[in-house]
């Protein structure tokens, strides 16, 4: 098992490497760019633009930019081959070892390989810092969404399968179709309208904390406040969490409750379930020990493939509900052509996706004894 | 028949103590989109303690449904069980008892082995767990003792190194081994009745004989009763004392294995026997029963075998035959055929002779290597 996980992790390296190239390529091909925002501003001269480009290294040929961003090349060496490719000398770090080696060996600290995603073009802040500030809110939203999603989808699916064609099953079917068909942004806005509008007004329309009471989430002041009023702070976040959470999970629950139901129905019709009944086992044991475990096999894979939805779904949801997470940061970065931030986010999302798949495969192997590595 | 469902039909009285299983007028129909499938349509038979009974019949004759009805393993609906049907087991009526009471009988006093050994074991649970959970449930023993008993019952069905096997999963075993595991599981709580539904159909020929031999040995050793379902008359002769022959959801003949095999009285059974390739008949022309099993939606109006019966006459098309006692035989000997009532007297003699000829043809050919 450990060997399998290690092997899969090593296999992920070329995949992730490929992803960095693709991500870079896509952003290059996209119209606009970091300098686009100056186009409309008459006070910015051509000279200032050149200075800006030089300062950010945007004057360099693309391969050099990429190598520096990745951390293959040293930033200090300007030498190039044919004026396009980085010269061999550029691959040597300050200590005379290859630049891509870990910092203590190479002396280099630039680039993704050294954990450095550069600076945000729009705020000048370290990308690492911007992302880590946004990571916790997204983690809170995504992990609570994951729990609600799995528990609710499995409960609905299993119950509907056991009581097939019952009123509950039919209601679940209707919910699934409606939920699946509903656009996330529309659902979010409707929820705000319903629960935060002038009528009910029982839930906050956005944000993560009550701004009149607590400092902005993630700031140093906030943690002081959090330490002093832990329970109130957690309840406050919980209250702000309800609507975005619901918006985020509805589609997944709608789809997966159907999937669980189908899978469970199939398992309930299998010969081994009949055997379990013939052994005199109580209905509960037959359903949960014998049928459900088998029914979960395809579900586990499916969920692994759907995990990235939490991230992509968060982009829309966080924007609607001003949730200060990665999704909102993504939109902000796109709007301001903040490529370093965007690249960092995309790379992290890709890594998470690759490991979500690995996790699904491992989980599958754990529940199915027929899988060998 | 269409009384109110709320008042359960009054039960008959229990059979004598020596009778372990008494099936009375069992009717199991399936409500499907196209109509109603009368899969089992008024079947009665009984089985004494420690005795063996075979149910024989072509595919689709209702053998499995009979067994599943006794075990109460059918989903209701689509299955509909006749209100007047009764199954008495070990002194109690089990067909209409609460399912909770039935669960305490299933797997303990009455166990079943299925037709499909490859899919009847749970793929994600170890063998030890699958046997052990049943032992723990019914015998209320500790995990440790359940493990010992599981090992013991695996050993008793001839599985080598059972201590290692209990940690294995079904996919790590051959079909024959899995059927042995099923048998071990069925026997783990020492049932009074073992129902085996075509336990060897899905297995290799060489394994088939082994499994049947095993069932026989175990039946004799433990003294449990055996209800063996098969479409193979050869198996019947080897394995059981009494036989029930089924056709299209009905019993068409019953008697001891010897009686049924040597002197069949229903034309359907005669046809079945004539179509067995025996050593004597090798080289001879095998007769098969012409025609096909009737669709359950378009059953012949009277005798269900009439379209395929070589001895049929007008009466067979007009009046449904009952399960008549066979003239000059014991009380357990019956055949569902008009040949065995007064109106069929003359034809009976002719039919029995024709059958005897058909069975002799092969023997004659064997002596004369033409
Ligand atoms: N769940 C069901 N729904 C509808 N019809 C069914 C169902 N189960 C069985 N039947 C029908 O009942 C009839 C008897 O089936 P059964 O399985 O008892 O046959 P069998 O004698 O065991 O045959 P085989 O030798 O193929 O196992 C068949 O016509 C079958 O199609
Ligand atoms: S009743 Fe008639 S048709 Fe039916 S088996 Fe007997 S002879 Fe054949
Ligand atoms: Mg069958």
């Amino acid at each position: 098992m450990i060997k399998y996980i290690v092997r899969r992790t090593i296999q992920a390296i070329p995949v992730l490497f490929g992803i960095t190239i693709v991500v870079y390529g896509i952003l290059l091909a996209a119209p606009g760019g970091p300098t686009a925002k100056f186009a409309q501003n008459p006070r910015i001269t051509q000279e200032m633009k050149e200075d800006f480009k030089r300062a950010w290294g945007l004057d360099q040929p693309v391969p050099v930019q990429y190598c520096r961003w990745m951390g293959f090349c040293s930033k200090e060496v300007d030498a190039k081959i044919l004026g396009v490719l980085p010269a061999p000398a550029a691959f040597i770090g300050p200590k005379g070892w290859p630049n891509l080696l870990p910092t203590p060996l190479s002396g280099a600290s630039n680039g993704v390989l050294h954990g450095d995603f550069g600076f945000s073009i729009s705020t000048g802040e370290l990308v690492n810092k911007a992302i880590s500030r946004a990571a916790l809110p997204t983690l809170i939203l995504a992990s609570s969404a994951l729990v609600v999603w799995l528990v609710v989808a499995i409960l609905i699916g299993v119950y509907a399968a056991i009581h097939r064609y019952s009123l509950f099953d039919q209601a679940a079917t209707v919910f699934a179709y409606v939920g699946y068909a509903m656009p996330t942004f529309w659902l979010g806005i409707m929820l705000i309208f319903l629960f935060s509008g002038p009528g009910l007004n029982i839930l906050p329309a956005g944000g993560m904390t009550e701004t009149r009471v607590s400092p902005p989430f993630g700031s140093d002041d906030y943690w002081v406040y959090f330490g002093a009023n832990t329970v109130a702070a957690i309840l406050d976040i919980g209250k702000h969490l309800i609507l975005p959470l619901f918006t985020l999970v509805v589609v997944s629950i709608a789809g997966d409750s159907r999937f669980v139901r189908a899978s469970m129905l199939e398992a309930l019709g299998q010969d081994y379930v009949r055997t379990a009944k013939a052994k005199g086992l109580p209905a509960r044991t037959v359903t949960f020990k014998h049928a459900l475990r088998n029914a979960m096999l395809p579900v586990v894979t499916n969920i692994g493939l759907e995990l990235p939805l939490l991230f992509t779904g968060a982009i829309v949801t966080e924007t609607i509900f001003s949730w200060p997470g990665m999704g909102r940061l993504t939109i902000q970065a796109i709007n301001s052509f903040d490529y370093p931030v965007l690249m960092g986010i995309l790379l992290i999302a890709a890594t998470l996706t690759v490991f979500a798949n690995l996790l699904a495969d491992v989980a599958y192997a754990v529940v199915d004894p027929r899988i060998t590595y | 028949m269409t009384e109110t469902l709320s008042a359960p039909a009054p039960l008959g009285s229990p059979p004598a103590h020596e009778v372990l299983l008494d099936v009375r007028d069992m009717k199991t129909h399936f409500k499907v989109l196209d109509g109603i499938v009368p899969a089992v349509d008024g079947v009665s038979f009984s089985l004494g303690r420690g005795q063996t009974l075979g149910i024989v019949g072509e595919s689709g004759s209702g053998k499995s449904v009979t067994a599943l009805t006794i075990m109460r393993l059918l989903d209701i609906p689509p299955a509909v069980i006749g209100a007047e049907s009764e199954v008495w087991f070990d002194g109690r009526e089990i067909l209409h008892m609460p399912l909770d009471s039935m669960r305490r009988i299933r797997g303990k006093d009455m166990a079943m082995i299925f037709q499909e050994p490859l899919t009847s074991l749970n793929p994600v649970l170890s063998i030890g767990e699958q046997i052990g959970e049943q032992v723990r449930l019914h015998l209320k023993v500790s995990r440790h003792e359940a493990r010992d008993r599981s090992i013991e019952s695996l050993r008793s069905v001839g599985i080598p190194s059972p201590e290692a096997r209990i940690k294995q999963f079904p996919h790590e075993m051959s079909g024959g081994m899995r059927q042995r595991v099923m048998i071990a599981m069925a026997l783990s709580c020492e049932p009074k009745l073992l129902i085996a539904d075509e336990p060897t159909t899905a297995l290799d020929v060489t394994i088939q004989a082994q499994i049947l031999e095993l069932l026989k040995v175990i039946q004799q050793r433990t003294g449990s009763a055996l209800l063996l379902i098969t479409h193979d008359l050869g198996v019947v002769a080897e394995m059981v004392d009494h036989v029930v022959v089924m056709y299209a959801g009905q019993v068409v003949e019953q008697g001891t294995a010897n009686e049924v095999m040597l002197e069949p009285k229903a034309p359907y059974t005669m046809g079945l026997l004539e179509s067995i390739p025996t050593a004597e008949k090798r080289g001879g022309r095998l007769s098969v029963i012409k025609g096909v099993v009737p669709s359950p939606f378009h059953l012949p109006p009277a005798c269900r075998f009439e379209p395929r019966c070589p001895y049929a006459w007008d009466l067979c098309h007009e009046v449904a035959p009952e399960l008549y006692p066979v003239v000059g035989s014991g009380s357990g000997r019956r055949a569902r055929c008009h040949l065995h009532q007064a109106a069929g007297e003359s034809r009976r003699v002719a039919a029995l002779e024709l059958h005897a000829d058909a069975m002799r043809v092969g023997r004659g050919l064997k002596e004369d290597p033409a």
Side-chain angles (χ1 to χ4, degrees):
Chain A
M1 184 67 126
I2 305 270
K3 253 171 80 184
Y4 172 73
I5 296 175
V6 169
R7 196 176 73 223
R8 286 287 307 264
T9 309
I10 292 172
Q11 280 169 354
I13 292 174
V15 174
L16 290 172
F17 181 67
I19 288 170
T20 62
I21 295 178
V22 171
V23 165
Y24 220 90
I26 289 177
L27 288 189
L28 273 178
T35 53
K37 59 180 169 180
F38 303 135
Q40 310 300 328
N41 191 335
R43 283 187 301 171
I44 305 275
T45 62
Q46 191 60 34
E47 209 168 317
M48 288 163 84
K49 266 193 214 171
E50 295 303 327
D51 284 348
F52 175 85
K53 281 190 167 182
R54 231 183 336 274
W56 288 95
L58 295 171
D59 56 335
Q60 299 290 327
V62 174
V64 175
Q65 285 188 34
Y66 173 77
C67 282
R68 288 180 176 179
W69 175 72
M70 280 298 290
F72 293 145
C73 294
S74 165
K75 271 201 265 198
E76 276 76 42
V77 184
D78 245 349
K80 290 183 229 2
I81 301 171
L82 304 170
V84 180
L85 296 174
F91 288 93
I92 302 301
K95 286 195 182 169
W97 291 84
N99 196 70
L100 59 79
L101 292 177
T103 313
L105 276 176
S106 62
S109 61
N110 68 307
V112 174
L113 288 174
H114 302 107
D116 172 21
F117 290 86
F119 295 88
S120 160
I121 290 183
S122 51
T123 64
E125 191 183 23
L126 274 172
V127 172
N128 287 357
K129 211 168 158 225
I131 289 182
S132 59
R133 184 156 25 80
L136 188 55
T138 294
L139 198 69
I140 292 173
L141 180 59
S143 55
S144 49
L146 182 66
V147 172
V148 172
W149 161 25
L150 294 187
V151 170
V152 176
I154 290 173
L155 284 182
I156 293 181
V158 169
Y159 194 83
I162 297 173
H163 303 277
R164 175 144 73 144
Y165 305 138
S166 66
L167 201 63
F168 177 87
D169 185 25
Q170 285 164 11
T173 308
V174 172
F175 159 77
Y177 284 119
V178 174
Y180 208 73
M182 199 136 45
T184 307
F185 69 89
W186 185 80
L187 173 66
I189 292 167
M190 283 303 124
L191 287 175
I192 293 176
F193 179 74
L194 263 177
F195 292 99
S196 323
L200 273 173
N201 197 11
I202 47 172
L203 289 172
M208 193 169 168
T209 53
E210 187 61 68
T211 42
R212 277 169 306 178
V213 185
S214 96
F217 182 85
S219 62
D220 293 343
D221 286 351
Y222 180 82
W223 293 115
V224 174
Y225 165 81
F226 186 88
N229 311 281
T230 313
V231 176
I234 290 177
L235 286 179
D236 188 29
I237 292 180
K239 209 166 103 188
H240 285 78
L241 190 62
I242 296 175
L243 292 185
L245 179 79
F246 189 78
T247 310
L248 189 55
V249 296
V250 156
V251 176
S252 306
I253 289 179
D256 279 338
S257 62
R258 293 277 91 187
F259 194 72
V260 171
R261 177 186 181 272
S263 182
M264 188 69 187
L265 275 179
E266 190 182 322
L268 284 172
Q270 297 293 315
D271 290 339
Y272 54 75
V273 167
R274 192 181 58 191
T275 306
K277 287 182 191 162
K279 292 199 285 191
L281 299 175
R284 200 176 353 103
T285 315
V286 173
T287 307
F288 291 103
K289 183 169 170 185
H290 287 266
L292 183 60
R293 250 195 97 175
N294 282 282
M296 288 319 285
L297 299 181
V299 175
V300 164
T301 317
N302 195 47
I303 286 170
L305 296 177
E306 281 178 295
L307 273 183
L309 275 186
L310 283 177
F311 195 83
T312 48
I315 293 182
V316 178
T317 310
E318 288 183 2
T319 306
I320 297 172
F321 291 97
S322 325
W323 192 263
M326 302 270 281
R328 206 175 60 142
L329 186 64
T330 310
I331 294 294
Q332 287 169 350
I334 291 173
N335 286 340
S336 56
F337 293 105
D338 199 340
Y339 280 12
V341 172
L342 203 50
M343 304 269 295
I345 292 175
L346 290 175
L347 202 55
I348 287 172
T351 312
L352 288 178
T353 307
V354 169
F355 281 95
N357 286 343
L358 171 60
L359 195 71
D361 288 349
V362 171
Y364 194 93
V366 168
V367 285
D368 191 346
R370 283 164 295 187
I371 304 290
T372 47
Y373 322 103
Chain B
M1 262 290 292
T2 46
E3 309 146 348
T4 59
L5 283 173
S6 50
L11 289 178
S13 46
H17 178 74
E18 314 83 71
V19 178
L20 177 66
L21 179 73
D22 196 16
V23 175
R24 301 178 185 170
D25 196 16
M26 180 193 281
K27 287 190 178 141
T28 308
H29 297 186
F30 292 97
K31 276 211 173 93
V32 294
L33 279 182
D34 298 341
I36 289 180
V37 179
V40 175
D41 209 13
V43 164
S44 304
F45 59 83
S46 62
L47 171 59
R49 290 177 193 275
Q51 293 203 308
T52 52
L53 175 76
I55 300 183
V56 195
E58 274 172 296
S59 192
S61 54
K63 308 182 297 290
S64 295
V65 173
T66 302
L68 294 172
T69 307
I70 296 173
M71 289 290 286
R72 305 250 327 245
L73 284 174
L74 293 169
D75 286 330
I76 300 175
V80 184
I81 312 276
E84 70 283 15
S85 306
E86 290 175 18
V87 174
W88 289 83
F89 174 75
D90 204 14
R92 291 205 281 170
E93 204 289 323
I94 58 171
L95 207 48
H96 301 283
M97 69 166 37
L99 202 51
D100 270 338
S101 317
M102 185 61 198
R103 281 196 192 105
R104 281 192 280 277
I105 295 177
R106 285 205 294 231
K108 180 165 191 298
D109 296 327
M110 186 194 273
M112 183 161 173
I113 304 162
F114 298 95
Q115 212 165 338
E116 308 84 6
L118 296 182
T119 51
S120 290
L121 288 166
N122 193 323
V124 302
L125 298 176
S126 70
I127 301 301
E129 176 58 27
Q130 296 192 53
I131 303 180
E133 68 173 344
Q134 184 178 355
V135 173
R136 290 202 304 276
L137 175 76
H138 292 300
L139 306 183
K140 314 254 180 305
V141 295
S142 67
R143 234 165 222 284
H144 185 79
E145 194 172 328
R147 183 177 165 276
D148 290 347
R149 275 181 174 266
S150 309
I151 292 176
E152 216 31 65
S153 73
L154 284 177
R155 200 192 309 280
S156 75
V157 298
I159 291 182
S161 52
E163 295 85 358
R165 288 286 182 173
I166 57 166
K167 295 194 196 78
Q168 290 194 321
F169 290 89
H171 71 275
E172 299 171 83
M173 299 182 160
S174 68
M177 273 300 156
R178 285 189 227 182
Q179 196 61 300
R180 277 176 198 264
V181 169
M182 284 298 291
I183 295 174
M185 197 151 85
L187 294 172
S188 62
C189 298
E190 295 167 2
K192 294 173 180 154
L193 171 64
L194 180 61
I195 302 176
D197 185 0
E198 308 205 25
T200 59
T201 311
L203 302 176
D204 287 349
V205 184
T206 47
I207 313 290
Q208 287 186 1
Q210 290 175 15
I211 296 285
L212 287 172
E213 180 62 24
L214 173 69
L215 274 178
K216 198 167 157 183
V217 168
I218 279 177
Q219 191 273 327
Q220 280 161 3
R221 193 174 61 211
T222 62
S224 75
L226 175 67
L227 180 61
L228 179 70
I229 293 175
T230 175
H231 56 251
D232 187 342
L233 282 165
V235 168
V236 164
E238 292 277 318
M239 299 281 300
V240 298
D241 311 327
H242 290 86
V243 177
V244 165
V245 182
M246 284 185 70
Y247 184 76
Q250 293 179 320
V251 175
V252 292
E253 175 158 4
Q254 63 186 48
T256 66
N258 276 337
E259 287 168 341
V260 174
M261 295 291 292
L262 298 177
E263 292 169 1
K265 300 295 184 189
Y268 174 63
T269 320
M270 296 181 194
L272 276 186
L273 284 164
E274 286 162 23
S275 63
I276 298 181
T278 60
E280 292 85 42
K281 284 197 277 182
R282 187 170 300 148
R285 199 170 56 84
L286 262 185
S287 71
V288 287
I289 306 178
K290 65 178 168 44
V292 291
V293 182
S295 147
F297 304 114
H298 303 103
L299 289 174
C303 176
R304 294 185 181 176
F305 189 54
E306 185 258 342
R308 303 171 72 186
C309 182
Y311 317 115
W313 76 101
D314 313 347
L315 183 65
C316 308
H317 193 71
E318 286 149 16
V319 181
E322 289 165 30
L323 202 52
Y324 301 109
V326 170
V327 184
S329 303
S331 63
R333 190 82 180 97
R334 284 167 175 270
R336 188 182 295 278
C337 174
H338 288 311
L339 293 176
H340 294 280
Q341 59 145 321
E345 190 79 58
S346 53
R347 292 164 199 268
R348 179 168 73 234
V349 181
L352 291 177
E353 254 170 32
L354 268 174
H355 170 66
D357 277 350
M359 297 301 283
R360 232 182 344 254
V361 165
R363 287 171 204 158
L365 275 180
K366 190 199 157 203
E367 283 153 20
D368 175 14

